[in-house]
Amino acid sequence: KNGFIYQDSKKDSDIPQSILKGCGSLDSEMLEAQFEDWYENVQIQHRLCQDNHSFQEISNTIKNTEIEISVSKASQTTLELFQQRLELVREDRLQRFAVLQDMLDRVCFREFDFRMRVNLPREDSVLELPSFESAPGIFGELLLKEGESLPLG
């Protein structure tokens, strides 16, 4: 069918003819060079792993370097657009923080009769909520002991 027969089963192969023709004219020197490049990269990877650097740290370093390079190559108009977007993100962050501050103050005053003020975090800190597996509340432990399901909300 494709000009290639398995030795054991004598069945035609599902390998496309173009791949089979490409294997017939394989450049062994190029294959060896590509293998040596691959092997060198694997060795570098192993050395990086032995230096106690996590791939996350290396990935972040590469990402930051790529950002620096792209910024250095950017045109003036692109940089101005980027600056405008950064300003919008800053304003949005400040508005979100103000809403959070207001909500926290109201809840604390209503529930505990005191005012709560929170300081704005640094601009470069990432704001994310911690993940909770469950928040059972006041009666959660008793409900779980009795085999009841916890209400949502």
Side-chain angles (χ1 to χ4, degrees), residues 69-80:
I69 290 170
S70 65
V71 167
S72 68
K73 291 181 179 180
S75 67
Q76 185 65 28
T77 56
T78 305
L79 290 175
E80 289 170 359

Side-chain angles (χ1 to χ4, degrees), residues 102-153:
D102 186 50
M103 288 171 51
L104 181 66
D105 185 49
R106 288 178 188 210
V107 168
C108 287
F109 187 68
R110 181 184 69 222
E111 300 295 328
F112 306 114
D113 197 27
F114 72 89
R115 297 283 185 186
M116 172 74 73
R117 299 297 305 164
V118 179
N119 294 330
L120 184 67
R122 293 188 349 236
E123 260 189 27
D124 62 341
S125 61
V126 178
L127 303 178
E128 58 186 4
L129 294 173
S131 61
F132 296 105
E133 290 185 23
S134 82
I138 298 171
F139 301 110
E141 304 267 336
L142 295 172
L143 288 171
L144 289 173
K145 283 181 185 176
E146 297 297 322
E148 297 288 330
S149 62
L150 294 175
L152 297 175

